[in-house]
Amino acid sequence: MKKTTLPLALLFLFTFVGMKQLQAQFIFPHTESRPVTDTLHGYRLTDPYQWLEDKTDPEVQKWTRAQHDATLNYIDTECPAVPGLRDEIQAYIDRDIESPMQLVADRQFFTRRKKGEKQSKLYTLIDGEELLLFDPEKIDPSGKSSLSGRSFTEDASRVAVGMQSKGAEISTYYIIDTQTGKVLGDPVEGLRAFSWTKDEEHAYIWVRTQEMIDAQKPIEVRLHKMGSDRAEDVTLLVPEDSKNTASVSDARYADLTFYSEGDFYATHSLRMKKTGSAAEPKEIYANQKFRASPYAIGDKIYFFTNHEAPNFKLMVADQKKPGFENWKALVPEQKDIVLESYAVTDNYLITVEKKDVLSRMVLRDLNGKKIKEIPAPEVGNVASVSYNRDVDAIFVGLSTFTSPYQIYRLDPKDLNREKLNWELYYKQEVPIDTDEIEAKIVFYPSKDGTKVPLFIVHKKGLKLDGNNPTVLYGYGGFNIGISPSFIGMRAMFINRGGVFAQAGLRGGDEYGEQWHEDGMLFNKQNTFDDFIAAGEYLIRENYTNTEKLGIEGGSNGGLLVGAVVTQRPDLFKAAICGVPLLDMIRFHKFLIARYWIPEYGDPDKKEDFQNILRYSPYHNIRMGIDHPTMMVTAGENDSRVDPLHAKKFAAALQNNLGQKNPILLYINYDSGHGSGQSTDQLIDYYAHRYRFMMHQLGMGE
């Protein structure tokens, strides 16, 4: 096989530490180059910083701590404190925060974190009196363990409460009597999730341990008898490949149990059997490209699916004839409208449908026929609709940029009335001033002419003089899109004259599955082109300029930031690259990253490898180029994206000839992929983050 040697600039064969230290204000810790050369698909790849991949190595730990300390020193000495900013962040984060009331059977449950507390706690109401059910701080006084999930029995007499430590996403579940708060039996450890079975004497448990993560073993679904030894657990499903997932669940409103296996986007097998039956489940759907999610009520099974329907559709089948050949379209796919979700009441069907990034509610009869649009109780994007059969009530969540998330309650008997009687069910009071803030949506052309949506939020009366500090945010992947949502702490930036922009990049769900597919696998470059075009639009329309334009993104959005700063380093002044994927040639070898092969491709396959290599940020740093000032962040306990990506990328940029702007590495030592931090840690993190970006954009000085 003919071997191809990549250009020297892509291989980081040299480091110029001494020269760099003279050029930059930020004196970064020295990173030794230890080249490791591999030949993949005929390409010779030399990696100077592969030694940073082992976070258990004392030398790597010492290097990481030195990098983080240098970052804090840079922020403290080079980024002046913005008057009042930290106080505002603290007031927003460290306040009384209460969740919406969760109604199960005839019981009420909620979480609350009071001002001064480190984590949220679970409560219930009994005869109007509060009872504390679970307090993670009693188990871990450090405040570094948080609630991670809960599952109630049908009568709500017991609840399984999950707790994770330091954001590791490996949970221990405690079984609690909801009348007394007493913990029943021993906790169930080493889980990803927990779900009660219909008989409530067992539970379906998703087994996940650190050893399984390190070995990239798939999450197993097992049947656990409550109170029994874990050695007696019965294995139900084990995916063949760790990039696949499996699930088992009992339908609450029908005597059916569903078994599903597949990857991120396709339901490879959906099987069903009568709950409690000893028979083997029967396959009712299988596909390598499309997915279908069942919801059973009585003798009907509803299927939310994109089967040959990129904008999704709702299908239905009789429980006695559940095979795919018997499914009928209840709400067919609609052109230019994405079906997002649905709720089924005794007499009606409510669908949530999205057009041009804004969602609305539609009332239909049980045969799917449209009756009318349901006007929202106030102006806002419909974020969620649900029907709670236990209390016979509809709950609608509304979101806007300038108001905190709100939930309204509606009696389903009122649905067909001309005037609906909405009851405000939940709204938080927040110490955020949005009176002078406004938002709008615009559409701009990407590189290939595709129209892309962009939200722009700023103070009223903004002057389009091309000199406004602006932060552009993006994600663009995994079928996750943008929608209006409360700006929260970003108001602190906007009220000081900043502009916040959020782009609906290809790879998201803004226009259905096709929009997602247009930004994944071999179309991934479209995502980066869309983001670059958004920056160019903001400059062209006189919102900002290259010296005032910052960018942010996390996780897949961290990959986005890494890609665009290596492709267009001239366009941006500063960047925050959060918990990122950056070495895309080796991403699938660590933690749970095999899950994401359906999104990015498999580097072990030559065609995928060649595509990924074109944009992999770590492999596309250009020698002699000064990249924007960056803060690259990582969670040391991240079980999704290994912090090695942030570490290697920061080292390579710091030692790149021509790099004058500071490259900072910020490590959250007691968190994972954005979760697990205590109140104090969150305040410190956001104070550093905002102080860094606002200084770079010339604010608050």
Side-chain angles (χ1 to χ4, degrees):
M1 178 185 292
K2 181 180 178 181
K3 294 184 178 180
T4 305
T5 301
L6 292 180
L8 202 62
L10 300 183
L11 300 182
F12 319 130
L13 291 179
F14 303 101
T15 58
F16 298 86
V17 177
M19 183 180 297
K20 285 292 299 128
Q21 289 179 338
L22 292 174
Q23 293 174 334
Q25 288 180 311
F26 174 49
I27 308 302
F28 54 83
H30 171 67
T31 308
E32 184 178 343
S33 174
R34 302 174 187 174
V36 175
T37 300
D38 294 312
T39 300
L40 300 172
H41 309 295
Y43 291 77
R44 286 174 55 84
L45 296 176
T46 298
D47 185 347
Y49 307 113
Q50 201 169 112
W51 66 275
L52 291 174
E53 293 178 352
D54 183 5
K55 68 177 183 180
T56 65
D57 185 335
E59 186 179 8
V60 175
Q61 293 174 348
K62 181 180 179 181
W63 176 90
T64 302
R65 179 61 71 177
Q67 287 279 342
H68 180 67
D69 289 346
T71 294
L72 296 183
N73 181 65
Y74 175 84
I75 294 173
D76 287 341
T77 58
E78 300 295 333
C79 304
V82 179
L85 177 64
R86 186 181 178 88
D87 291 340
E88 291 176 36
I89 293 173
Q90 181 164 351
Y92 182 76
I93 293 177
D94 189 14
R95 58 188 167 90
D96 290 353
I97 300 176
E98 193 170 295
S99 72
M101 194 70 70
Q102 184 177 359
L103 307 177
V104 185
D106 61 349
R107 299 290 304 283
Q108 298 172 294
F109 301 88
F110 64 97
T111 62
R112 177 193 290 139
R113 192 191 71 204
K114 296 180 180 178
K115 179 179 173 61
E117 293 181 338
K118 300 174 183 177
Q119 295 290 349
S120 295
K121 305 174 183 181
L122 178 64
Y123 296 82
T124 188
L125 289 180
I126 299 178
D127 298 328
E129 297 293 324
E130 293 182 5
L131 173 65
L132 175 60
L133 292 178
F134 189 80
D135 179 0
E137 289 186 56
K138 282 190 176 180
I139 299 172
D140 179 7
S142 73
K144 297 175 182 178
S145 295
S146 59
L147 298 176
S148 59
R150 56 185 180 267
S151 176
F152 292 92
T153 56
E154 286 195 15
D155 64 359
S157 62
R158 288 175 291 164
V159 61
V161 181
M163 187 181 82
Q164 65 169 344
S165 177
K166 300 180 181 180
E169 298 187 74
I170 300 170
S171 295
T172 296
Y173 274 80
Y174 298 82
I175 313 304
I176 298 171
D177 183 322
T178 62
Q179 290 289 342
T180 65
K182 181 181 178 182
V183 176
L184 305 174
D186 296 327
V188 187
E189 300 179 336
L191 302 186
R192 182 68 178 97
F194 177 109
S195 177
W196 293 98
T197 60
K198 196 83 168 178
D199 64 13
E200 297 180 354
E201 295 179 2
H202 301 78
Y204 299 120
I205 58 174
W206 283 254
V207 179
R208 182 192 227 179
T209 65
Q210 190 60 53
E211 291 74 23
M212 292 173 69
I213 292 174
D214 293 340
Q216 289 200 317
K217 290 184 177 180
I219 294 177
E220 301 179 7
V221 185
R222 299 177 187 171
L223 182 67
H224 173 68
K225 181 175 175 58
M226 303 309 299
S228 70
D229 191 284
R230 290 290 298 279
E232 299 175 16
D233 291 352
V234 178
T235 300
L236 299 177
L237 289 177
V238 182
E240 292 183 3
D241 192 312
S242 58
K243 71 180 178 63
N244 296 333
T245 59
S247 179
V248 182
S249 62
D250 292 346
R252 180 164 186 181
Y253 302 110
D255 290 325
L256 298 175
T257 299
F258 294 100
Y259 295 69
S260 69
E261 294 184 68
D263 59 31
F264 241 73
Y265 307 118
T267 304
H268 297 166
S269 174
L270 176 61
R271 298 179 293 153
M272 184 189 89
K273 73 172 185 178
K274 287 285 185 182
T275 300
S277 168
E280 282 295 310
K282 179 182 178 181
E283 188 167 81
I284 60 175
Y285 181 78
N287 201 280
Q288 296 296 309
K289 181 178 180 181
F290 305 119
R291 58 189 181 275
S293 302
Y295 178 57
I297 306 175
D299 61 355
K300 292 186 181 300
I301 309 173
Y302 297 88
F303 298 94
F304 185 72
T305 180
N306 66 340
H307 188 98
E308 296 182 348
N311 287 348
F312 289 85
K313 59 186 175 182
L314 184 62
M315 304 186 77
V316 67
D318 191 281
Q319 186 184 133
K320 296 178 181 178
K321 295 181 179 180
F324 177 67
E325 66 276 8
N326 300 311
W327 297 8
K328 297 179 181 179
L330 191 61
V331 180
E333 182 189 26
Q334 302 172 77
K335 184 179 179 181
D336 299 328
I337 295 176
V338 179
L339 181 63
E340 288 197 298
S341 63
Y342 68 97
V344 183
T345 73
D346 291 337
N347 300 303
Y348 297 105
L349 179 68
I350 304 172
T351 53
V352 179
E353 304 175 10
K354 178 169 62 179
K355 182 177 176 63
D356 283 335
V357 202
L358 299 175
S359 299
R360 59 182 182 171
M361 292 176 286
V362 176
L363 182 67
R364 301 175 180 272
D365 64 25
L366 292 178
N367 294 315
K369 182 180 178 181
K370 180 177 178 178
I371 298 174
K372 64 175 183 178
E373 286 192 24
I374 303 174
E378 64 177 81
V379 176
N381 184 66
V382 177
S384 65
V385 173
S386 63
Y387 173 60
N388 188 317
R389 292 179 177 275
D390 291 348
V391 297
D392 191 30
I394 295 164
F395 295 91
V396 175
L398 294 181
S399 61
T400 71
F401 284 106
T402 55
S403 296
Y405 182 67
Q406 302 173 65
I407 299 177
Y408 285 83
R409 178 173 177 161
L410 177 69
D411 188 328
K413 298 182 185 64
D414 292 343
L415 278 170
N416 208 15
R417 294 181 180 177
E418 184 175 338
K419 187 174 182 180
L420 301 179
N421 184 26
W422 293 100
E423 172 195 348
L424 181 61
Y425 183 73
Y426 172 80
K427 182 178 181 179
Q428 277 195 11
E429 296 298 324
V430 297
I432 295 289
D433 180 9
T434 60
D435 290 347
E436 295 301 314
I437 294 176
E438 61 184 4
K440 65 179 178 180
I441 184 172
V442 300
F443 298 87
Y444 65 91
S446 188
K447 182 178 180 179
D448 62 359
T450 299
K451 295 295 182 183
V452 181
L454 179 71
F455 289 123
I456 305 177
V457 190
H458 53 74
K459 287 188 71 174
K460 297 173 183 177
L462 179 78
K463 292 182 179 180
L464 297 181
D465 58 4
N467 200 41
N468 299 295
T470 300
V471 170
L472 173 63
Y473 173 86
Y475 187 80
F478 294 97
N479 204 35
I480 298 172
I482 64 171
S483 61
S485 60
F486 184 53
I487 54 174
M489 283 187 288
R490 294 192 187 277
M492 303 168 196
F493 168 74
I494 296 168
N495 280 329
R496 288 175 168 82
V499 175
F500 173 66
Q502 186 176 16
L505 314 171
R506 278 175 284 186
D509 70 348
E510 286 78 1
Y511 297 98
E513 182 59 27
Q514 188 59 57
W515 191 257
H516 171 219
E517 292 179 5
D518 287 346
M520 63 185 287
L521 297 173
F522 289 87
N523 296 321
K524 192 61 191 169
Q525 183 59 42
N526 286 335
T527 306
F528 311 140
D529 289 343
D530 290 353
F531 196 67
I532 290 169
E536 293 173 333
Y537 172 88
L538 292 167
I539 294 171
R540 185 169 63 249
E541 296 299 316
N542 289 322
Y543 284 95
T544 191
N545 61 68
T546 56
E547 291 299 306
K548 293 282 188 176
L549 178 57
I551 55 175
E552 293 181 358
S555 193
N556 175 76
L559 165 62
L560 168 71
V561 169
V564 299
V565 298
T566 53
Q567 293 181 17
R568 285 295 306 275
D570 60 303
L571 189 58
F572 314 106
K573 171 63 176 177
I576 295 177
C577 183
V579 290
L581 283 162
L582 296 165
D583 182 346
M584 297 303 293
I585 298 304
R586 291 172 60 79
F587 85 92
H588 62 312
K589 297 180 180 292
F590 303 94
L591 303 179
I592 66 169
R594 285 191 62 80
Y595 282 145
W596 311 322
I597 285 176
E599 178 79 9
Y600 302 121
D602 187 348
D604 291 336
K605 297 179 180 178
K606 183 174 182 178
E607 192 175 11
D608 289 355
F609 166 86
Q610 290 174 324
N611 175 62
I612 291 169
L613 186 61
R614 294 187 184 100
Y615 69 77
S616 175
Y618 183 60
H619 298 88
N620 283 278
I621 296 172
R622 289 177 284 172
M623 280 193 175
I625 297 296
D626 189 20
H627 299 80
T629 302
M630 293 182 68
M631 178 189 287
V632 188
T633 75
E636 191 70 356
N637 298 318
D638 199 328
S639 62
R640 301 189 194 186
V641 178
D642 197 296
L644 68 88
H645 292 272
K647 296 173 185 179
K648 291 171 62 175
F649 191 62
L653 280 172
Q654 288 173 357
N655 293 334
N656 181 43
L657 179 64
Q659 183 64 44
K660 299 178 182 178
N661 291 320
I663 304 297
L664 314 177
L665 180 63
Y666 190 104
I667 301 294
N668 286 308
Y669 278 95
D670 295 309
S671 77
H673 200 65
S675 67
Q677 291 171 284
S678 68
T679 301
D680 292 342
Q681 291 172 314
L682 284 170
I683 293 169
D684 286 342
Y685 170 64
Y686 281 106
H688 288 135
R689 180 183 177 120
Y690 276 94
R691 190 168 160 184
F692 164 80
M693 182 59 80
M694 292 171 75
H695 167 69
Q696 294 301 321
L697 302 185
M699 302 173 68
E701 297 180 18

